[in-house]
Amino acid sequence: MAGHCRAMAARLRAWLGMGCPSCWLRGWHRSPGLLGARLAHGGAADRLQQEYDAVVIGAGHNGLVAAAYLQRAGVRTVVLEKRHVLGGAAVTEEIVPGFKFSRASYLLSLLRPQIYAELELQQHGLRVLPRDPYSFTPLLEDRSSPRSLLLGHNMTQTQQQIAQFSQKDAQAYPEYEAFMGGLVLALDPLLDAPPVDTAALGQGSLLQRLRALQALRPLLRAGAGSWTWCRSHAASAPPGLALGWQLPRYYEVLTAPISKILDQWFESEPLKATLATDAVIGAMASPHTPGSGYVLLHHVMGELEGRRGAWGYVAGGMGALSQAIACAAAAQGAHIFAEKAVCHVLLGRDGRAQGVALQDGTEVRSKLVLSNASPQITFLELTPQEQLPKDFIQRIRQVDTRSPVTKINVAVDRLPSFLAAPNARDGQPLPHHQCSIHLNCEGTHLLHQAFTEATHGHPSSRPMIELCIPSVLDPGLAPQGCHVVSLFTQYTPFKLAGGQPWDEHARNAYADTVFDCIEAYAPGFKASVIGRDILTPPDLERIFGLPGGNIFHGGMSLDQLYFARPAPSYSGYRSPVPGLYLCGSGAHPGGGVMGAAGRNAARVALEDFRRL
Ligand SMILES: Cc1cc2nc3c(=O)[nH]c(=O)nc-3n(C[C@H](O)[C@H](O)[C@H](O)COP(=O)(O)OP(=O)(O)OC[C@H]3O[C@@H](n4cnc5c(N)ncnc54)[C@H](O)[C@@H]3O)c2cc1C
């Protein structure tokens, strides 16, 4: 089987030309039709109409979710996507012939369970592949068989793994998990409703005040959630742990550097570094940065098949999720088009949004316009500036979009064999191959060093690497015996020191650094590579429309969340332009493949539509 793949790899290498590695892929962004990414329509839906009730700009997963909910409520909706493929940052693309990559996002957990059920995504083809074990951290050590840390859902086995490094940490781990679980449960209700409209509470009409009061309910429930959780876990909580001092501890998790929180719980560096990766993922932040605790929470907030905090692969890649949402929307009657770039939002004399103009000059009229594009594209590029308050424009300009992420998608002709857990002779997948494999995670100091280099404009010399091999659970993604490898790496600054461009040389030099690191843990990796797709922050901005390459449309720091996302007083999906709404990750509750912003925005827009 491996032989089959190697022969194919040799043919591919010859065909693609191996002179300059970054050229291997040129010309191989295959037509989405081959992946079924463009939705097949029939009849009237084949043609773009001149008028709809609602236009959604962008077919990211949030835009598709918003369209599905609007259309379900009887609002005639069209989605217009500028790329050739639906899904935004949740896409499957065949970058190397025969290899299907989740080109940007690659793991699912955060998708709101209501969306899964209400849009009947399973019936529309969504299949998730849970992972257990889920985290593997091999170590580079000067000993004949280096150690590794494998975390999974079986608590006894996980504790045994942790005990290799610290008995004390092994004992503390279940309590840490329960503690974090309590906070997640408390915050959960806040995700599915707009933040409280403080302006309406203070100065609105009686009706507006009543509505704003209603929006207080999730906040109150959040408090009650932590209270209920504390009571229900009273037996397992340590003696004396009660609500009175639980809340200050939760407050600390939200505001402190994650290194401080983890130091309170644990002493073993590989465990702390592994847990800290969730607190810095996608953020230009070190584990020592205050507020990194919230990012960690954001990443343990999800659930998969009822299991809190679990992450899994989507069968067929992340594009299959977007496809399922698009099918749900289309089944209700929504029209969805790719390769329709919106050029600007049309405004009436009264300043209301009236539809959009496309780059090809076509105009589409509508009563509602929801934008799934980032706040920066929506308000600084697509909306006539004279219609927006100056301080609002200023706020949007100030959104922190710094991003450390470079994603590298790699096609390989065999599975990596780690020194810490070598492959068997048959080369078949072992349990750790399905995990998020954390490299350069021997200690939190390494993450901090990698961050510090990037703050000086240099890509990390020893980057934080999360390596995933989804084809281990989903073999259809690659030819027989071959695999797709996803490398989520940081830290790489958007702007390089000395004004150096992120040109071919810089991109390949960074990818080579990453590959050298992997080679140290898994000798033979470099020789297994057939093709690679390097997406630096400027590439993520150019291809996916992510401002500054920020994977969340804007940092998830506390000053850019809830009331302040995307700007204070505009966190409720409405914008200064009546009839124009934000429905993507730049709105509450932020980034990740969650769908919450799309669902919440659709509900707000629907409320207004009914009053028109
Ligand atoms: C490399 C990477 C890895 C990630 N990994 C994960 C992960 O594993 N799990 C996870 O949960 N999250 C992950 N994320 C984050 C997550 O993918 C995003 O936060 C989320 O997909 C954003 O969804 P969205 O619908 O809000 O916006 P987007 O997906 O950004 O969609 C916006 C859409 O609008 C379109 N658009 C923009 N301008 C126009 C225009 N003028 N006209 C028409 N269309 C336009 C864009 O082309 C795009 O399709 C990752 C992100 C990246 C980049």
Side-chain angles (χ1 to χ4, degrees), residues 57-63 80-83 85 87-90 103-110 311 318 340-343 372-374 377 382 405 407 488 540 543-546 549 551-553 583-586 590-594:
I57 305 171
H61 81 286
N62 270 314
L80 303 169
E81 165 57 42
K82 79 171 184 188
R83 287 198 74 209
V85 56
R103 198 174 181 201
S105 62
Y106 52 102
L107 281 169
L108 187 70
S109 171
L110 303 174
W311 289 78
M318 288 300 266
K340 297 277 180 213
V342 170
C343 163
N372 180 200
S374 68
I377 292 178
L382 301 183
V405 176
K407 173 95 190 287
F488 187 94
L540 292 171
I543 298 170
F544 296 98
L546 300 166
I551 71 167
F552 303 130
H553 287 194
C583 70
S585 299
V593 181
M594 210 180 216

Short mmCIF file of all heavy atoms in Angstrom, two decimals, residues 57-63 80-83 85 87-90 103-110 311 318 340-343 372-374 377 382 405 407 488 540 543-546 549 551-553 583-586 590-594, ligand 1:
data_model
loop_
_atom_site.label_atom_id
_atom_site.label_comp_id
_atom_site.label_asym_id
_atom_site.label_seq_id
_atom_site.Cartn_x
_atom_site.Cartn_y
_atom_site.Cartn_z
N ILE A 57 -23.48 38.85 2.42
CA ILE A 57 -22.19 39.02 1.74
C ILE A 57 -21.22 38.01 2.34
O ILE A 57 -20.87 38.09 3.51
CB ILE A 57 -21.62 40.44 1.97
CG1 ILE A 57 -22.61 41.52 1.54
CG2 ILE A 57 -20.28 40.59 1.25
CD1 ILE A 57 -22.20 42.94 1.92
N GLY A 58 -20.81 37.04 1.52
CA GLY A 58 -19.82 36.05 1.98
C GLY A 58 -20.46 34.75 2.41
O GLY A 58 -21.44 34.74 3.15
N ALA A 59 -19.88 33.66 1.92
CA ALA A 59 -20.37 32.32 2.28
C ALA A 59 -19.39 31.61 3.19
O ALA A 59 -19.07 30.44 3.01
CB ALA A 59 -20.62 31.49 1.02
N GLY A 60 -18.88 32.34 4.19
CA GLY A 60 -18.20 31.65 5.29
C GLY A 60 -19.27 30.85 6.02
O GLY A 60 -20.47 31.00 5.76
N HIS A 61 -18.86 29.99 6.95
CA HIS A 61 -19.89 29.15 7.60
C HIS A 61 -20.92 30.01 8.32
O HIS A 61 -22.10 29.67 8.34
CB HIS A 61 -19.23 28.13 8.55
CG HIS A 61 -18.86 28.69 9.87
ND1 HIS A 61 -17.78 29.53 10.06
CD2 HIS A 61 -19.46 28.58 11.09
CE1 HIS A 61 -17.73 29.89 11.32
NE2 HIS A 61 -18.74 29.33 11.97
N ASN A 62 -20.48 31.17 8.87
CA ASN A 62 -21.45 32.04 9.56
C ASN A 62 -22.46 32.65 8.59
O ASN A 62 -23.65 32.75 8.92
CB ASN A 62 -20.71 33.17 10.30
CG ASN A 62 -20.34 32.78 11.71
OD1 ASN A 62 -21.17 32.23 12.45
ND2 ASN A 62 -19.10 33.05 12.11
N GLY A 63 -22.00 33.05 7.42
CA GLY A 63 -22.92 33.62 6.43
C GLY A 63 -23.93 32.57 6.00
O GLY A 63 -25.13 32.86 5.84
N LEU A 80 -23.83 35.71 -1.46
CA LEU A 80 -22.90 36.04 -2.54
C LEU A 80 -21.46 35.91 -2.04
O LEU A 80 -21.04 36.65 -1.14
CB LEU A 80 -23.15 37.48 -3.02
CG LEU A 80 -24.60 37.75 -3.48
CD1 LEU A 80 -24.83 39.24 -3.68
CD2 LEU A 80 -24.91 36.97 -4.75
N GLU A 81 -20.74 34.96 -2.60
CA GLU A 81 -19.38 34.68 -2.14
C GLU A 81 -18.39 35.06 -3.23
O GLU A 81 -18.58 34.71 -4.40
CB GLU A 81 -19.25 33.19 -1.80
CG GLU A 81 -17.83 32.67 -1.64
CD GLU A 81 -17.01 33.41 -0.58
OE1 GLU A 81 -17.54 33.70 0.51
OE2 GLU A 81 -15.82 33.72 -0.86
N LYS A 82 -17.31 35.71 -2.83
CA LYS A 82 -16.37 36.16 -3.87
C LYS A 82 -15.44 35.05 -4.35
O LYS A 82 -15.03 35.04 -5.49
CB LYS A 82 -15.59 37.37 -3.40
CG LYS A 82 -14.45 37.11 -2.47
CD LYS A 82 -13.66 38.39 -2.29
CE LYS A 82 -12.45 38.08 -1.43
NZ LYS A 82 -11.71 39.23 -1.04
N ARG A 83 -15.13 34.09 -3.48
CA ARG A 83 -14.21 33.03 -3.90
C ARG A 83 -14.94 31.99 -4.78
O ARG A 83 -16.16 32.02 -4.89
CB ARG A 83 -13.59 32.32 -2.69
CG ARG A 83 -12.55 33.16 -1.96
CD ARG A 83 -11.68 32.30 -1.08
NE ARG A 83 -10.72 31.52 -1.83
CZ ARG A 83 -10.23 30.33 -1.42
NH1 ARG A 83 -10.65 29.80 -0.28
NH2 ARG A 83 -9.35 29.68 -2.15
N VAL A 85 -15.12 28.95 -4.02
CA VAL A 85 -15.47 27.84 -3.15
C VAL A 85 -16.23 28.39 -1.94
O VAL A 85 -15.92 29.49 -1.46
CB VAL A 85 -14.19 27.06 -2.76
CG1 VAL A 85 -13.16 27.95 -2.12
CG2 VAL A 85 -14.47 25.90 -1.85
N GLY A 87 -17.51 28.49 2.03
CA GLY A 87 -17.04 28.08 3.36
C GLY A 87 -16.08 29.05 4.03
O GLY A 87 -15.81 28.91 5.21
N GLY A 88 -15.54 30.04 3.29
CA GLY A 88 -14.60 30.98 3.92
C GLY A 88 -13.39 30.23 4.45
O GLY A 88 -12.68 29.56 3.70
N ALA A 89 -13.18 30.32 5.77
CA ALA A 89 -12.03 29.63 6.38
C ALA A 89 -12.38 28.19 6.73
O ALA A 89 -11.58 27.49 7.35
CB ALA A 89 -11.55 30.39 7.61
N ALA A 90 -13.58 27.74 6.36
CA ALA A 90 -13.95 26.33 6.59
C ALA A 90 -14.18 25.67 5.23
O ALA A 90 -15.33 25.52 4.77
CB ALA A 90 -15.20 26.24 7.46
N ARG A 103 -8.11 23.50 4.21
CA ARG A 103 -6.98 24.39 3.90
C ARG A 103 -6.70 25.39 5.02
O ARG A 103 -5.57 25.76 5.25
CB ARG A 103 -7.27 25.12 2.59
CG ARG A 103 -6.02 25.69 2.00
CD ARG A 103 -6.23 26.30 0.65
NE ARG A 103 -4.96 26.80 0.14
CZ ARG A 103 -4.87 27.71 -0.79
NH1 ARG A 103 -5.95 28.22 -1.34
NH2 ARG A 103 -3.69 28.14 -1.19
N ALA A 104 -7.76 25.86 5.69
CA ALA A 104 -7.55 26.79 6.82
C ALA A 104 -7.92 26.07 8.11
O ALA A 104 -7.10 25.37 8.68
CB ALA A 104 -8.35 28.06 6.59
N SER A 105 -9.19 26.20 8.58
CA SER A 105 -9.55 25.50 9.83
C SER A 105 -9.60 24.00 9.56
O SER A 105 -9.84 23.57 8.43
CB SER A 105 -10.89 26.01 10.35
OG SER A 105 -11.91 25.74 9.44
N TYR A 106 -9.37 23.23 10.61
CA TYR A 106 -9.20 21.77 10.40
C TYR A 106 -9.84 20.91 11.49
O TYR A 106 -9.92 19.70 11.34
CB TYR A 106 -7.70 21.45 10.25
CG TYR A 106 -6.86 22.02 11.38
CD1 TYR A 106 -6.41 21.22 12.42
CD2 TYR A 106 -6.57 23.38 11.42
CE1 TYR A 106 -5.68 21.76 13.46
CE2 TYR A 106 -5.84 23.92 12.46
CZ TYR A 106 -5.40 23.13 13.48
OH TYR A 106 -4.70 23.66 14.52
N LEU A 107 -10.26 21.51 12.60
CA LEU A 107 -10.85 20.73 13.69
C LEU A 107 -12.19 21.33 14.11
O LEU A 107 -12.33 22.56 14.18
CB LEU A 107 -9.93 20.74 14.92
CG LEU A 107 -8.73 19.80 14.88
CD1 LEU A 107 -7.77 20.12 16.01
CD2 LEU A 107 -9.18 18.34 14.96
N LEU A 108 -13.14 20.48 14.43
CA LEU A 108 -14.47 20.96 14.81
C LEU A 108 -14.77 20.63 16.27
O LEU A 108 -14.50 19.53 16.74
CB LEU A 108 -15.53 20.29 13.93
CG LEU A 108 -16.95 20.84 14.11
CD1 LEU A 108 -17.05 22.25 13.53
CD2 LEU A 108 -17.99 19.95 13.45
N SER A 109 -15.32 21.62 16.96
CA SER A 109 -15.78 21.41 18.34
C SER A 109 -16.77 22.49 18.72
O SER A 109 -17.75 22.25 19.40
CB SER A 109 -14.60 21.46 19.32
OG SER A 109 -15.05 21.46 20.65
N LEU A 110 -16.49 23.73 18.22
CA LEU A 110 -17.21 24.89 18.75
C LEU A 110 -18.60 25.07 18.16
O LEU A 110 -19.40 25.82 18.69
CB LEU A 110 -16.38 26.16 18.48
CG LEU A 110 -14.96 26.13 19.06
CD1 LEU A 110 -14.17 27.36 18.62
CD2 LEU A 110 -15.00 26.07 20.58
N TRP A 311 -12.69 17.73 20.42
CA TRP A 311 -12.50 18.22 19.06
C TRP A 311 -12.39 17.02 18.12
O TRP A 311 -11.81 15.99 18.49
CB TRP A 311 -11.19 19.02 18.96
CG TRP A 311 -11.25 20.35 19.66
CD1 TRP A 311 -11.14 20.56 21.00
CD2 TRP A 311 -11.41 21.63 19.06
NE1 TRP A 311 -11.24 21.90 21.26
CE2 TRP A 311 -11.40 22.58 20.09
CE3 TRP A 311 -11.57 22.06 17.74
CZ2 TRP A 311 -11.54 23.95 19.86
CZ3 TRP A 311 -11.70 23.43 17.50
CH2 TRP A 311 -11.69 24.36 18.55
N MET A 318 -13.11 20.22 6.40
CA MET A 318 -14.02 21.25 6.94
C MET A 318 -15.01 21.77 5.89
O MET A 318 -16.08 22.25 6.22
CB MET A 318 -13.21 22.43 7.50
CG MET A 318 -12.49 22.11 8.78
SD MET A 318 -13.59 21.63 10.13
CE MET A 318 -13.82 23.18 10.94
N LYS A 340 -19.02 35.72 -6.82
CA LYS A 340 -19.82 36.95 -6.91
C LYS A 340 -19.26 37.90 -5.84
O LYS A 340 -19.68 37.87 -4.68
CB LYS A 340 -21.30 36.69 -6.60
CG LYS A 340 -21.99 35.76 -7.58
CD LYS A 340 -22.45 36.51 -8.82
CE LYS A 340 -23.13 35.57 -9.79
NZ LYS A 340 -22.91 35.92 -11.19
N ALA A 341 -18.26 38.67 -6.23
CA ALA A 341 -17.64 39.59 -5.26
C ALA A 341 -18.48 40.84 -5.11
O ALA A 341 -18.83 41.50 -6.10
CB ALA A 341 -16.24 39.95 -5.73
N VAL A 342 -18.82 41.16 -3.87
CA VAL A 342 -19.57 42.39 -3.61
C VAL A 342 -18.58 43.55 -3.60
O VAL A 342 -17.51 43.47 -3.01
CB VAL A 342 -20.32 42.29 -2.27
CG1 VAL A 342 -20.90 43.64 -1.87
CG2 VAL A 342 -21.42 41.23 -2.35
N CYS A 343 -18.99 44.63 -4.27
CA CYS A 343 -18.09 45.78 -4.39
C CYS A 343 -18.48 46.86 -3.38
O CYS A 343 -17.62 47.47 -2.75
CB CYS A 343 -18.20 46.22 -5.83
SG CYS A 343 -17.64 47.76 -6.23
N ASN A 372 -20.91 38.85 6.22
CA ASN A 372 -20.08 37.81 6.84
C ASN A 372 -18.60 38.17 6.68
O ASN A 372 -17.73 37.55 7.29
CB ASN A 372 -20.40 36.48 6.15
CG ASN A 372 -19.63 35.29 6.68
OD1 ASN A 372 -19.51 34.28 5.99
ND2 ASN A 372 -19.11 35.35 7.88
N ALA A 373 -18.34 39.20 5.88
CA ALA A 373 -16.95 39.64 5.73
C ALA A 373 -16.49 40.26 7.05
O ALA A 373 -17.30 40.56 7.92
CB ALA A 373 -16.85 40.64 4.58
N SER A 374 -15.20 40.46 7.17
CA SER A 374 -14.66 41.01 8.43
C SER A 374 -15.21 42.42 8.65
O SER A 374 -15.64 43.09 7.70
CB SER A 374 -13.14 41.07 8.34
OG SER A 374 -12.79 42.05 7.38
N ILE A 377 -13.40 44.84 6.25
CA ILE A 377 -13.88 44.85 4.85
C ILE A 377 -15.27 45.48 4.81
O ILE A 377 -15.55 46.34 3.97
CB ILE A 377 -13.91 43.41 4.28
CG1 ILE A 377 -12.49 42.87 4.12
CG2 ILE A 377 -14.65 43.37 2.94
CD1 ILE A 377 -12.40 41.44 3.60
N LEU A 382 -16.58 48.29 2.05
CA LEU A 382 -17.84 48.09 1.33
C LEU A 382 -18.90 49.15 1.63
O LEU A 382 -19.88 49.26 0.90
CB LEU A 382 -18.42 46.69 1.64
CG LEU A 382 -17.54 45.47 1.31
CD1 LEU A 382 -18.27 44.17 1.61
CD2 LEU A 382 -17.12 45.49 -0.15
N VAL A 405 -0.14 33.41 12.87
CA VAL A 405 -0.33 32.06 12.30
C VAL A 405 0.20 31.92 10.88
O VAL A 405 -0.09 32.73 10.01
CB VAL A 405 -1.85 31.71 12.29
CG1 VAL A 405 -2.08 30.36 11.62
CG2 VAL A 405 -2.41 31.73 13.69
N LYS A 407 -0.15 28.69 8.30
CA LYS A 407 -0.67 27.32 8.14
C LYS A 407 0.08 26.70 6.96
O LYS A 407 0.20 27.32 5.90
CB LYS A 407 -2.18 27.39 7.85
CG LYS A 407 -2.82 26.05 7.49
CD LYS A 407 -3.43 25.38 8.70
CE LYS A 407 -3.86 23.95 8.45
NZ LYS A 407 -5.03 23.77 7.64
N PHE A 488 -0.37 23.74 11.86
CA PHE A 488 -0.80 25.06 12.35
C PHE A 488 0.37 25.58 13.16
O PHE A 488 0.72 25.00 14.19
CB PHE A 488 -2.05 24.90 13.21
CG PHE A 488 -2.67 26.20 13.63
CD1 PHE A 488 -3.70 26.77 12.89
CD2 PHE A 488 -2.24 26.86 14.77
CE1 PHE A 488 -4.28 27.97 13.26
CE2 PHE A 488 -2.82 28.06 15.16
CZ PHE A 488 -3.84 28.61 14.40
N LEU A 540 -3.07 34.58 4.23
CA LEU A 540 -4.40 34.36 4.83
C LEU A 540 -5.29 35.59 4.59
O LEU A 540 -6.49 35.46 4.35
CB LEU A 540 -4.27 34.08 6.34
CG LEU A 540 -3.60 32.75 6.70
CD1 LEU A 540 -3.33 32.66 8.19
CD2 LEU A 540 -4.46 31.56 6.24
N ILE A 543 -6.06 35.58 0.52
CA ILE A 543 -6.90 34.51 -0.02
C ILE A 543 -8.25 34.45 0.69
O ILE A 543 -9.30 34.33 0.06
CB ILE A 543 -6.18 33.14 0.12
CG1 ILE A 543 -4.89 33.17 -0.69
CG2 ILE A 543 -7.08 31.99 -0.35
CD1 ILE A 543 -3.97 31.98 -0.45
N PHE A 544 -8.24 34.55 2.02
CA PHE A 544 -9.47 34.32 2.79
C PHE A 544 -10.14 35.62 3.27
O PHE A 544 -11.21 35.57 3.88
CB PHE A 544 -9.18 33.43 4.00
CG PHE A 544 -8.72 32.05 3.62
CD1 PHE A 544 -7.37 31.72 3.60
CD2 PHE A 544 -9.64 31.09 3.23
CE1 PHE A 544 -6.94 30.46 3.23
CE2 PHE A 544 -9.23 29.82 2.86
CZ PHE A 544 -7.87 29.50 2.86
N GLY A 545 -9.48 36.76 3.06
CA GLY A 545 -10.06 38.02 3.52
C GLY A 545 -9.98 38.18 5.03
O GLY A 545 -10.80 38.87 5.63
N LEU A 546 -8.99 37.54 5.65
CA LEU A 546 -8.83 37.65 7.11
C LEU A 546 -7.90 38.84 7.39
O LEU A 546 -6.72 38.80 7.01
CB LEU A 546 -8.22 36.36 7.68
CG LEU A 546 -9.08 35.11 7.44
CD1 LEU A 546 -8.28 33.83 7.72
CD2 LEU A 546 -10.34 35.15 8.29
N GLY A 549 -4.38 38.65 8.55
CA GLY A 549 -4.21 37.20 8.66
C GLY A 549 -4.84 36.66 9.93
O GLY A 549 -4.69 35.48 10.25
N ILE A 551 -7.03 34.90 12.32
CA ILE A 551 -7.94 33.79 12.03
C ILE A 551 -9.32 34.00 12.64
O ILE A 551 -10.26 33.29 12.32
CB ILE A 551 -7.35 32.43 12.49
CG1 ILE A 551 -7.32 32.29 14.01
CG2 ILE A 551 -5.95 32.21 11.93
CD1 ILE A 551 -7.05 30.85 14.47
N PHE A 552 -9.45 35.00 13.52
CA PHE A 552 -10.74 35.26 14.17
C PHE A 552 -11.39 36.57 13.68
O PHE A 552 -12.30 37.09 14.33
CB PHE A 552 -10.56 35.35 15.69
CG PHE A 552 -9.95 34.13 16.32
CD1 PHE A 552 -8.86 34.23 17.19
CD2 PHE A 552 -10.47 32.87 16.07
CE1 PHE A 552 -8.30 33.10 17.78
CE2 PHE A 552 -9.91 31.74 16.65
CZ PHE A 552 -8.83 31.85 17.51
N HIS A 553 -10.92 37.18 12.60
CA HIS A 553 -11.36 38.50 12.11
C HIS A 553 -10.98 39.61 13.08
O HIS A 553 -11.45 40.73 12.95
CB HIS A 553 -12.90 38.57 11.91
CG HIS A 553 -13.41 37.80 10.74
ND1 HIS A 553 -14.68 37.96 10.25
CD2 HIS A 553 -12.83 36.86 9.95
CE1 HIS A 553 -14.88 37.13 9.22
NE2 HIS A 553 -13.76 36.46 9.04
N CYS A 583 -22.48 39.56 10.52
CA CYS A 583 -22.89 38.21 10.94
C CYS A 583 -21.72 37.23 10.99
O CYS A 583 -21.92 36.02 10.99
CB CYS A 583 -23.99 37.68 10.03
SG CYS A 583 -23.44 37.28 8.35
N GLY A 584 -20.48 37.75 11.04
CA GLY A 584 -19.32 36.85 11.04
C GLY A 584 -18.54 36.91 12.35
O GLY A 584 -18.99 37.49 13.34
N SER A 585 -17.34 36.35 12.29
CA SER A 585 -16.52 36.20 13.50
C SER A 585 -16.11 37.53 14.13
O SER A 585 -15.71 37.55 15.29
CB SER A 585 -15.24 35.44 13.16
OG SER A 585 -15.56 34.18 12.69
N GLY A 586 -16.17 38.60 13.34
CA GLY A 586 -15.82 39.91 13.90
C GLY A 586 -16.87 40.38 14.89
O GLY A 586 -16.67 41.38 15.60
N GLY A 590 -17.32 35.88 18.44
CA GLY A 590 -15.96 35.81 17.93
C GLY A 590 -15.70 34.62 17.02
O GLY A 590 -16.62 34.03 16.46
N GLY A 591 -14.41 34.31 16.91
CA GLY A 591 -13.95 33.37 15.89
C GLY A 591 -14.07 31.91 16.26
O GLY A 591 -14.49 31.55 17.37
N GLY A 592 -13.68 31.10 15.31
CA GLY A 592 -13.84 29.65 15.44
C GLY A 592 -15.05 29.22 14.64
O GLY A 592 -15.93 30.04 14.33
N VAL A 593 -15.08 27.95 14.30
CA VAL A 593 -16.19 27.43 13.50
C VAL A 593 -17.33 27.11 14.46
O VAL A 593 -17.48 25.99 14.94
CB VAL A 593 -15.74 26.22 12.67
CG1 VAL A 593 -16.89 25.69 11.82
CG2 VAL A 593 -14.57 26.61 11.79
N MET A 594 -18.10 28.13 14.73
CA MET A 594 -19.06 28.12 15.83
C MET A 594 -20.49 28.34 15.33
O MET A 594 -21.44 27.81 15.88
CB MET A 594 -18.66 29.32 16.71
CG MET A 594 -18.95 29.18 18.15
SD MET A 594 -18.38 30.69 18.96
CE MET A 594 -17.82 30.00 20.46
C1 LIG B 1 -5.44 28.68 9.39
C2 LIG B 1 -6.69 28.67 10.23
C3 LIG B 1 -6.94 27.61 11.09
C4 LIG B 1 -8.07 27.60 11.88
N1 LIG B 1 -8.36 26.50 12.63
C5 LIG B 1 -9.56 26.41 13.23
C6 LIG B 1 -9.99 25.17 13.75
O1 LIG B 1 -9.32 24.15 13.61
N2 LIG B 1 -11.20 25.15 14.36
C7 LIG B 1 -11.98 26.26 14.50
O2 LIG B 1 -13.06 26.18 15.10
N3 LIG B 1 -11.59 27.45 13.97
C8 LIG B 1 -10.43 27.54 13.32
N4 LIG B 1 -10.07 28.69 12.69
C9 LIG B 1 -10.93 29.87 12.82
C10 LIG B 1 -12.18 29.74 11.95
O3 LIG B 1 -11.90 29.07 10.78
C11 LIG B 1 -12.76 31.11 11.61
O4 LIG B 1 -12.86 31.92 12.77
C12 LIG B 1 -14.13 30.96 10.98
O5 LIG B 1 -14.12 29.97 9.98
C13 LIG B 1 -14.59 32.28 10.41
O6 LIG B 1 -15.86 32.07 9.87
P1 LIG B 1 -16.78 33.24 9.35
O7 LIG B 1 -17.92 32.63 8.64
O8 LIG B 1 -17.09 34.18 10.45
O9 LIG B 1 -15.86 34.07 8.34
P2 LIG B 1 -15.02 33.59 7.08
O10 LIG B 1 -14.83 32.15 7.09
O11 LIG B 1 -13.81 34.46 7.07
O12 LIG B 1 -15.95 33.96 5.86
C14 LIG B 1 -16.09 35.23 5.32
C15 LIG B 1 -16.44 35.06 3.87
O13 LIG B 1 -16.72 36.34 3.27
C16 LIG B 1 -16.19 36.32 1.97
N5 LIG B 1 -16.05 37.71 1.49
C17 LIG B 1 -15.22 38.66 2.00
N6 LIG B 1 -15.38 39.79 1.30
C18 LIG B 1 -16.33 39.57 0.36
C19 LIG B 1 -16.91 40.35 -0.68
N7 LIG B 1 -16.54 41.62 -0.90
N8 LIG B 1 -17.86 39.79 -1.46
C20 LIG B 1 -18.26 38.50 -1.27
N9 LIG B 1 -17.71 37.70 -0.32
C21 LIG B 1 -16.75 38.23 0.48
C22 LIG B 1 -14.87 35.60 2.14
O14 LIG B 1 -14.35 35.15 0.91
C23 LIG B 1 -15.29 34.46 3.06
O15 LIG B 1 -15.77 33.36 2.33
C24 LIG B 1 -8.97 28.71 11.85
C25 LIG B 1 -8.74 29.75 10.96
C26 LIG B 1 -7.61 29.73 10.14
C27 LIG B 1 -7.40 30.85 9.17
#
